[in-house]
Amino acid sequence: MSLRKPGGAVLVTGAAGYIGSHTVLALLREGHAVIALDDYSNAQRDVPTRVARLCAGDVQWVEADVRDQATVEAVLASQGVEAVIHFAARKSVEESCRLPLAYYDSNLIGTLRLLAAMEVSGVRRLVFSSSATVYDASQPSPVTETGRLSCASPYGRSKLMAEQIISDVVNSGRLDCVALRYFNPVGADASGKLGEDAATPPSNLMPRICLAAAGKSDPLQIFGNDYDTPDGTGVRDYVHVADVADAHVAALRYLAAGHGSAMLNIGTGCGTSVLQLLRTFTEVTGVDVPYTIEARRQGDVASLFADVSEARRMLDWSARRGLAEMCADAWRWARPDGDRALG
Ligand code: UFG
């Protein structure tokens, strides 16, 4: 590990979640001091131990809900926090259609209270976890940051509304924010000791591939092979979670340099179909994934991938890990005889 960075700590909300935990690890490996906040409503309690095994950095875990403004204010005041990375949110498109109020409560009220706590405490640097779901997916890819916006779910709208609230605070001169719109984060830390482990069953493709490959679920259901794509299956922009984590470190650097605010796509810029991903997974792991072809999933679109030139230009960041590495790392974490045991 490098020496501790001069200056204050970074508060990470939703720190035990999938992208949050990999970002905490990336920050520690870069020598940042971290205050890691989570309420464990959709994360595993062994994440702090896993992170500690991988990097002996300066991290303090706090169990709290980000909507608990008094606690967040106390953390910000007592620890000399210089920047916040805000992940804490609900993230299932399907669940958000059933429980819209819960989504607006967690994702909007959570963001509002955090912003209020930051204002009270005089902390003015924020990295916000947003999503490509804010884009109108019917437009042609690659999608730039100025692409048409439109959300098909309460989850998506909660992210877009949060972006808009943040943007109003930025325009008031009280905040600098880099909002990162992730496309499809997948994979795990290369150690096999940290990966995606939500409390709720996964609905995304890569964790479902791993479950089917491990024989822990029915065959993978491929939702549609009649899209207007080269092989008929949906095309997305898969990006390694460690690259996504590195983008947050780069965003902090950008804010610390006083460059102001930005809204950036985080992906590889490459479109990959479901069948291509499956083929790569089998080539890399040697494991066949049983699958069936099913009807299209409601709300899915044919193709969505990013134009990533702005992130490269503004953050000097681009994804370094390819599809093979995404599959190998996802499987090292997920396979039944894998390396995840803490021992
Ligand atoms: N897919 C399957 N079978 C599955 C799961 C997914 O065939 O069991 C297909 C989907 O139809 C799609 C592709 O795999 O073509 C990727 O699906 P994911 O669910 O992994 O990802 P999405 O692109 O649908 O969703 C992601 C994020 C959401 C976000 C959305 C829009 O997970 O949070 O992008 O940007 F809202």
Side-chain angles (χ1 to χ4, degrees):
M1 195 199 75
S2 49
L3 289 174
R4 189 191 191 289
K5 284 256 188 296
V10 180
L11 170 64
V12 179
T13 75
Y18 176 43
I19 305 176
S21 59
H22 289 81
T23 300
V24 169
L25 190 55
L27 289 168
L28 295 173
R29 284 173 172 159
E30 282 286 312
H32 287 276
V34 176
I35 302 163
L37 183 131
D38 209 295
D39 67 354
Y40 298 94
S41 56
N42 193 25
Q44 303 298 331
R45 290 192 174 271
D46 63 3
V47 168
T49 310
R50 292 185 177 279
V51 169
R53 291 284 169 88
L54 292 171
C55 185
D58 181 355
V59 57
Q60 186 192 328
W61 290 85
V62 177
E63 182 168 346
D65 186 318
V66 70
R67 290 166 294 188
D68 175 356
Q69 193 176 324
T71 298
V72 174
E73 273 179 29
V75 166
L76 290 174
S78 67
Q79 310 280 348
V81 171
E82 66 174 18
V84 177
I85 306 181
H86 180 36
F87 294 104
R90 292 173 178 253
K91 62 174 184 181
S92 158
V93 169
E94 182 272 327
E95 189 186 49
S96 77
C97 297
R98 287 188 286 111
L99 305 171
L101 291 178
Y103 271 69
Y104 290 120
D105 196 336
S106 294
N107 298 8
L108 282 188
I109 306 289
T111 302
L112 280 172
R113 299 240 168 97
L114 174 66
L115 290 169
M118 289 175 68
E119 194 165 300
V120 168
S121 315
V123 178
R124 54 170 297 139
R125 290 182 208 151
L126 176 68
V127 181
F128 178 63
S129 167
S130 191
S131 165
T133 195
V134 299
Y135 290 118
D136 177 348
S138 68
Q139 66 198 303
S141 286
V143 178
T144 67
E145 288 81 356
T146 54
R148 261 193 335 271
L149 304 176
S150 161
C151 304
S153 70
Y155 163 68
R157 273 187 286 281
S158 74
K159 283 290 172 185
L160 185 55
M161 288 177 194
E163 277 192 6
Q164 289 165 336
I165 292 166
I166 289 168
S167 162
D168 284 341
V169 183
V170 166
N171 291 336
S172 78
R174 292 190 166 91
L175 184 74
D176 293 318
C177 175
V178 177
L180 302 178
R181 291 175 174 162
Y182 319 135
F183 279 67
N184 293 67
V186 296
D189 187 67
S191 64
K193 300 258 182 240
L194 185 68
E196 186 167 13
D197 205 356
T200 49
S203 61
N204 292 124
L205 182 59
M206 183 67 98
R208 284 199 172 172
I209 288 178
C210 290
L211 284 175
K216 290 186 185 167
S217 72
D218 289 340
L220 175 77
Q221 296 179 299
I222 296 184
F223 297 133
N225 67 349
D226 56 352
Y227 284 108
D228 185 16
T229 60
D231 63 22
T233 63
V235 166
R236 297 289 185 277
D237 188 338
Y238 300 97
V239 54
H240 198 296
V241 67
D243 282 323
V244 176
D246 289 344
H248 294 78
V249 179
L252 285 181
R253 224 178 281 130
Y254 177 91
L255 289 168
H259 293 312
S261 297
M263 181 89 77
L264 299 168
N265 287 342
I266 297 299
T268 60
C270 303
T272 301
S273 75
V274 175
L275 285 173
Q276 270 178 307
L277 186 62
L278 268 185
R279 229 181 351 262
T280 306
F281 184 91
T282 296
E283 274 165 21
V284 167
T285 63
V287 181
D288 275 324
V289 183
Y291 67 84
T292 57
I293 304 289
E294 306 291 336
R296 293 181 180 188
R297 184 171 65 175
Q298 204 190 350
D300 274 357
V301 292
S303 184
L304 185 65
F305 56 95
D307 181 312
V308 289
S309 39
E310 276 299 277
R312 192 178 309 121
R313 189 176 69 80
M314 297 181 77
L315 300 186
D316 193 22
W317 170 92
S318 53
R320 292 188 289 121
R321 299 158 178 92
L323 211 55
E325 211 168 334
M326 298 179 212
C327 292
D329 290 344
W331 185 235
R332 193 175 300 111
W333 163 252
R335 70 191 160 102
D337 58 343
D339 300 332
R340 70 193 285 168
L342 285 170

